[in-house]
Amino acid sequence: MAEISGATLDLEALRSFMIIVQQGSLAAAAEQRHRTVSALSMQIKRLEERLETRLLIRGPRGVTPSPAGEVLLREARELLRQHDGLIARLTGQGLSGRVRFGMPEGYAPQLVEQVLPDFLASHPNVVLEAVTAPSGELARRLERGELSLIVALDRPHRLTGGEALWKTSPVWAAARDFSINSESPLPLAVHPLDCPFRSLGVEALEARDRDWYAVFTSTSIHAVEKAVEVGLAISILDRQRLLPTMRVLDESDGLPLLSDSQACLYFSRRIDAPSWPAVQALADMLRERLGKVGPWPGTRARASADPHAYA
């Protein structure tokens, strides 16, 4: 059988590649990896030489994976999960305990893809129970001791002691051909009362004495987005969730500006001692993956490169 050792990949270089893609820049990844930008650049260069393909597309606002890089990202994620899980099982150094983690539905796909599988692979003996709910409900469940750790927006139910992870960018979103009648109440597609973006929008409208009504209410972010997309109503969405069929409404459309909202990390005060190290480990991974940049660094880099995106 022919030797294939020459095609062996550097696992640490793969880790760097994954973090670069997640952060959207070499500088941010270098800070997390505690290495220099040039060191990470050399790792990527060696990976590209070994695989004989370009992995990253570098632009003025950051980096995004090439088509080959997208393939490598999926495969590397699974490879590192298996590797880290094997090490944890064989060394017996893995954490144990139970982590009850809550997150808003709007960010769940990114958190599930970027964080939770890697956490379980690194700590296979930890029992993870993850749920989605509006931020207000997550806050109440945390206070009741039903959850040990949550990522939630800093309203409408304000908790103390939160650690800021990233700043959201709420905007008024409408279908491309949606027109506003300034004489009629504004038709909104909204989440129930626990939704922070609903609170932001309603507060801004009431400060302007602008009448509104909820033409569509749903706990599903996808249902609300569909209501916007088909022109049934307008809504408040994170800018990163805007679809090409949508446009941003602003003061020129007679709508008030929306203030930012922080996505924060909150710990329960009722975490049992055996589970505390595991809860801390998940919090550390959330800080590493989401700190400052949030869950969409690649999308943000592409949007920033195109100032007319979703305008």
Side-chain angles (χ1 to χ4, degrees):
M1 181 179 293
E3 288 284 343
I4 59 171
S5 60
T8 301
L9 296 177
D10 180 349
L11 294 182
E12 289 307 305
L14 289 177
R15 292 188 201 279
S16 295
F17 170 73
M18 287 178 57
I19 293 176
I20 290 169
V21 173
Q22 289 159 358
Q23 296 296 319
S25 79
L26 270 73
E31 183 177 352
Q32 285 197 12
R33 295 284 282 161
H34 303 291
R35 300 186 181 184
T36 64
V37 171
S38 60
L40 263 60
S41 295
M42 287 302 300
Q43 284 185 319
I44 299 305
K45 181 179 179 181
R46 286 194 292 267
L47 274 178
E48 291 179 331
E49 291 174 348
R50 183 63 54 88
L51 297 174
E52 299 181 349
T53 187
R54 188 178 184 184
L55 299 175
L56 294 174
I57 299 173
R58 297 164 174 82
R61 299 285 183 169
V63 296
T64 55
S66 67
E70 293 279 8
V71 174
L72 178 63
L73 183 65
R74 292 193 296 270
E75 299 292 339
R77 190 175 284 134
E78 180 60 26
L79 175 62
L80 291 172
R81 283 177 199 150
Q82 293 185 13
H83 171 271
D84 294 346
L86 176 63
I87 295 297
R89 289 190 295 272
L90 292 181
T91 61
Q93 297 176 351
L95 299 176
S96 60
R98 185 181 301 271
V99 179
R100 297 182 176 92
F101 174 59
M103 54 193 159
E105 183 200 354
Y107 302 106
Q110 291 75 26
L111 292 176
V112 169
E113 180 183 6
Q114 298 179 24
V115 179
L116 300 188
D118 291 348
F119 174 75
L120 284 178
S122 299
H123 309 291
N125 295 323
V126 172
V127 177
L128 175 66
E129 298 176 2
V131 301
T132 65
S135 290
E137 181 181 340
L138 291 173
R140 289 194 298 274
R141 294 183 65 177
L142 187 79
E143 290 182 320
R144 293 195 299 262
E146 298 172 9
L147 297 172
S148 46
L149 181 72
I150 65 171
V151 170
L153 302 192
D154 57 356
R155 57 171 59 224
H157 185 89
R158 295 186 182 275
L159 295 171
T160 59
E163 176 185 334
L165 286 178
W166 75 89
K167 185 178 291 186
T168 67
S169 302
V171 294
W172 296 104
R176 283 285 184 181
D177 58 353
F178 189 90
S179 60
I180 295 179
N181 184 344
S182 60
E183 303 299 322
S184 301
L186 196 66
L188 296 185
V190 292
H191 294 292
L193 295 176
D194 282 328
C195 174
F197 281 4
R198 174 182 175 135
S199 297
L200 282 172
V202 169
E203 289 171 10
L205 291 173
E206 291 181 347
R208 286 274 193 96
D209 292 324
R210 182 70 162 90
D211 291 334
W212 65 276
Y213 70 104
V215 67
F216 184 79
T217 302
S218 175
T219 59
S220 167
I221 181 64
H222 299 292
V224 169
E225 289 172 345
K226 180 57 68 174
V228 172
E229 192 175 11
V230 301
L232 182 64
I234 72 171
S235 189
I236 305 97
L237 301 177
D238 193 304
R239 180 180 288 273
Q240 303 300 335
R241 295 196 66 93
L242 291 179
L243 302 173
T245 53
M246 300 177 185
R247 67 186 180 96
V248 174
L249 303 178
D250 54 26
E251 290 183 303
S252 66
D253 300 288
L255 292 178
L257 291 176
L258 296 171
S259 58
D260 292 328
S261 179
Q262 289 280 356
C264 299
L265 190 65
Y266 298 95
F267 290 86
S268 171
R269 297 179 180 177
R270 307 180 189 178
I271 303 171
D272 60 271
S275 296
W276 181 251
V279 174
Q280 285 280 22
L282 178 55
D284 287 342
M285 186 171 287
L286 290 166
R287 294 185 188 102
E288 175 186 314
R289 302 289 176 85
L290 306 176
K292 296 183 181 179
V293 298
W296 291 300
T299 303
R300 183 171 299 141
R302 288 192 292 273
S304 298
D306 180 7
H308 302 292
Y310 309 137

PDB file of all heavy atoms in Angstrom, residues 8 55 74 91 101 106 125 152 160 195 209 220 231 241 264 305:
ATOM      1  N   THR A   8      -0.756  14.236   5.495  1.00  0.00           N
ATOM      2  CA  THR A   8      -1.243  14.434   6.853  1.00  0.00           C
ATOM      3  C   THR A   8      -1.487  15.920   7.136  1.00  0.00           C
ATOM      4  O   THR A   8      -0.675  16.764   6.785  1.00  0.00           O
ATOM      5  CB  THR A   8      -0.229  13.877   7.866  1.00  0.00           C
ATOM      6  OG1 THR A   8      -0.038  12.492   7.625  1.00  0.00           O
ATOM      7  CG2 THR A   8      -0.741  14.051   9.287  1.00  0.00           C
ATOM      8  N   LEU A  55      -8.092  28.239   0.403  1.00  0.00           N
ATOM      9  CA  LEU A  55      -9.065  27.986   1.453  1.00  0.00           C
ATOM     10  C   LEU A  55      -9.794  29.235   1.913  1.00  0.00           C
ATOM     11  O   LEU A  55     -10.941  29.152   2.349  1.00  0.00           O
ATOM     12  CB  LEU A  55      -8.381  27.329   2.658  1.00  0.00           C
ATOM     13  CG  LEU A  55      -7.724  25.971   2.395  1.00  0.00           C
ATOM     14  CD1 LEU A  55      -6.985  25.498   3.634  1.00  0.00           C
ATOM     15  CD2 LEU A  55      -8.770  24.946   1.962  1.00  0.00           C
ATOM     16  N   ARG A  74     -16.437  21.863   7.159  1.00  0.00           N
ATOM     17  CA  ARG A  74     -17.346  20.803   7.624  1.00  0.00           C
ATOM     18  C   ARG A  74     -16.566  19.564   8.051  1.00  0.00           C
ATOM     19  O   ARG A  74     -16.846  18.970   9.097  1.00  0.00           O
ATOM     20  CB  ARG A  74     -18.338  20.445   6.512  1.00  0.00           C
ATOM     21  CG  ARG A  74     -19.339  21.546   6.196  1.00  0.00           C
ATOM     22  CD  ARG A  74     -20.457  21.017   5.324  1.00  0.00           C
ATOM     23  NE  ARG A  74     -19.964  20.578   4.014  1.00  0.00           N
ATOM     24  CZ  ARG A  74     -19.886  21.355   2.954  1.00  0.00           C
ATOM     25  NH1 ARG A  74     -20.249  22.622   3.031  1.00  0.00           N
ATOM     26  NH2 ARG A  74     -19.444  20.884   1.803  1.00  0.00           N
ATOM     27  N   THR A  91      -8.054   9.604  28.293  1.00  0.00           N
ATOM     28  CA  THR A  91      -7.283  10.165  29.400  1.00  0.00           C
ATOM     29  C   THR A  91      -8.092  10.239  30.687  1.00  0.00           C
ATOM     30  O   THR A  91      -7.526  10.395  31.773  1.00  0.00           O
ATOM     31  CB  THR A  91      -6.788  11.587  29.054  1.00  0.00           C
ATOM     32  OG1 THR A  91      -7.929  12.439  28.819  1.00  0.00           O
ATOM     33  CG2 THR A  91      -5.896  11.570  27.827  1.00  0.00           C
ATOM     34  N   PHE A 101     -28.718  24.642  29.189  1.00  0.00           N
ATOM     35  CA  PHE A 101     -28.350  25.854  28.457  1.00  0.00           C
ATOM     36  C   PHE A 101     -29.539  26.372  27.658  1.00  0.00           C
ATOM     37  O   PHE A 101     -30.218  25.620  26.954  1.00  0.00           O
ATOM     38  CB  PHE A 101     -27.187  25.548  27.515  1.00  0.00           C
ATOM     39  CG  PHE A 101     -26.812  26.678  26.596  1.00  0.00           C
ATOM     40  CD1 PHE A 101     -26.426  27.912  27.107  1.00  0.00           C
ATOM     41  CD2 PHE A 101     -26.841  26.508  25.223  1.00  0.00           C
ATOM     42  CE1 PHE A 101     -26.090  28.956  26.266  1.00  0.00           C
ATOM     43  CE2 PHE A 101     -26.492  27.539  24.368  1.00  0.00           C
ATOM     44  CZ  PHE A 101     -26.116  28.773  24.892  1.00  0.00           C
ATOM     45  N   GLY A 106     -33.692  32.824  17.494  1.00  0.00           N
ATOM     46  CA  GLY A 106     -33.094  33.499  16.348  1.00  0.00           C
ATOM     47  C   GLY A 106     -31.615  33.233  16.169  1.00  0.00           C
ATOM     48  O   GLY A 106     -31.080  33.391  15.073  1.00  0.00           O
ATOM     49  N   ASN A 125     -18.635  13.303  28.589  1.00  0.00           N
ATOM     50  CA  ASN A 125     -19.316  12.828  29.794  1.00  0.00           C
ATOM     51  C   ASN A 125     -20.280  13.849  30.387  1.00  0.00           C
ATOM     52  O   ASN A 125     -20.941  13.570  31.385  1.00  0.00           O
ATOM     53  CB  ASN A 125     -18.284  12.433  30.858  1.00  0.00           C
ATOM     54  CG  ASN A 125     -17.455  11.245  30.420  1.00  0.00           C
ATOM     55  OD1 ASN A 125     -17.962  10.333  29.767  1.00  0.00           O
ATOM     56  ND2 ASN A 125     -16.174  11.249  30.755  1.00  0.00           N
ATOM     57  N   ALA A 152     -28.899  35.571  26.309  1.00  0.00           N
ATOM     58  CA  ALA A 152     -30.164  36.280  26.150  1.00  0.00           C
ATOM     59  C   ALA A 152     -29.883  37.751  25.880  1.00  0.00           C
ATOM     60  O   ALA A 152     -28.826  38.275  26.265  1.00  0.00           O
ATOM     61  CB  ALA A 152     -31.028  36.130  27.405  1.00  0.00           C
ATOM     62  N   THR A 160     -29.330  41.065  36.304  1.00  0.00           N
ATOM     63  CA  THR A 160     -28.084  41.702  36.719  1.00  0.00           C
ATOM     64  C   THR A 160     -26.932  40.722  36.558  1.00  0.00           C
ATOM     65  O   THR A 160     -27.122  39.508  36.549  1.00  0.00           O
ATOM     66  CB  THR A 160     -28.172  42.149  38.190  1.00  0.00           C
ATOM     67  OG1 THR A 160     -28.435  41.008  39.017  1.00  0.00           O
ATOM     68  CG2 THR A 160     -29.275  43.173  38.363  1.00  0.00           C
ATOM     69  N   CYS A 195     -40.294  38.974  23.748  1.00  0.00           N
ATOM     70  CA  CYS A 195     -39.279  39.226  22.726  1.00  0.00           C
ATOM     71  C   CYS A 195     -38.633  40.598  22.907  1.00  0.00           C
ATOM     72  O   CYS A 195     -39.321  41.617  22.969  1.00  0.00           O
ATOM     73  CB  CYS A 195     -39.908  39.144  21.340  1.00  0.00           C
ATOM     74  SG  CYS A 195     -38.784  39.607  20.005  1.00  0.00           S
ATOM     75  N   ASP A 209     -45.629  58.377  19.188  1.00  0.00           N
ATOM     76  CA  ASP A 209     -47.090  58.361  19.089  1.00  0.00           C
ATOM     77  C   ASP A 209     -47.559  57.784  17.758  1.00  0.00           C
ATOM     78  O   ASP A 209     -48.539  58.239  17.160  1.00  0.00           O
ATOM     79  CB  ASP A 209     -47.671  59.783  19.255  1.00  0.00           C
ATOM     80  CG  ASP A 209     -47.489  60.310  20.665  1.00  0.00           C
ATOM     81  OD1 ASP A 209     -47.578  59.505  21.606  1.00  0.00           O
ATOM     82  OD2 ASP A 209     -47.248  61.522  20.817  1.00  0.00           O
ATOM     83  N   SER A 220     -42.277  31.697  16.307  1.00  0.00           N
ATOM     84  CA  SER A 220     -41.275  31.222  15.346  1.00  0.00           C
ATOM     85  C   SER A 220     -40.660  32.378  14.581  1.00  0.00           C
ATOM     86  O   SER A 220     -41.365  33.155  13.924  1.00  0.00           O
ATOM     87  CB  SER A 220     -41.919  30.243  14.359  1.00  0.00           C
ATOM     88  OG  SER A 220     -41.064  29.990  13.253  1.00  0.00           O
ATOM     89  N   GLY A 231     -44.934  40.383   2.420  1.00  0.00           N
ATOM     90  CA  GLY A 231     -45.556  41.695   2.452  1.00  0.00           C
ATOM     91  C   GLY A 231     -46.754  41.809   3.359  1.00  0.00           C
ATOM     92  O   GLY A 231     -47.512  42.785   3.277  1.00  0.00           O
ATOM     93  N   ARG A 241     -30.098  38.855   9.675  1.00  0.00           N
ATOM     94  CA  ARG A 241     -31.111  37.899   9.230  1.00  0.00           C
ATOM     95  C   ARG A 241     -31.845  38.370   7.978  1.00  0.00           C
ATOM     96  O   ARG A 241     -32.688  37.640   7.441  1.00  0.00           O
ATOM     97  CB  ARG A 241     -32.136  37.648  10.336  1.00  0.00           C
ATOM     98  CG  ARG A 241     -31.583  36.970  11.577  1.00  0.00           C
ATOM     99  CD  ARG A 241     -32.705  36.410  12.428  1.00  0.00           C
ATOM    100  NE  ARG A 241     -33.389  35.338  11.738  1.00  0.00           N
ATOM    101  CZ  ARG A 241     -33.070  34.039  11.864  1.00  0.00           C
ATOM    102  NH1 ARG A 241     -32.080  33.677  12.637  1.00  0.00           N
ATOM    103  NH2 ARG A 241     -33.750  33.122  11.195  1.00  0.00           N
ATOM    104  N   CYS A 264     -26.084  38.835  25.967  1.00  0.00           N
ATOM    105  CA  CYS A 264     -25.277  38.662  27.174  1.00  0.00           C
ATOM    106  C   CYS A 264     -25.306  37.212  27.657  1.00  0.00           C
ATOM    107  O   CYS A 264     -26.224  36.444  27.353  1.00  0.00           O
ATOM    108  CB  CYS A 264     -25.786  39.566  28.305  1.00  0.00           C
ATOM    109  SG  CYS A 264     -25.707  41.336  27.932  1.00  0.00           S
ATOM    110  N   ALA A 305     -18.449  44.581   3.273  1.00  0.00           N
ATOM    111  CA  ALA A 305     -17.735  44.801   2.019  1.00  0.00           C
ATOM    112  C   ALA A 305     -18.665  45.392   0.963  1.00  0.00           C
ATOM    113  O   ALA A 305     -18.225  46.052   0.025  1.00  0.00           O
ATOM    114  CB  ALA A 305     -17.127  43.495   1.528  1.00  0.00           C
TER     115      ALA A 305
END
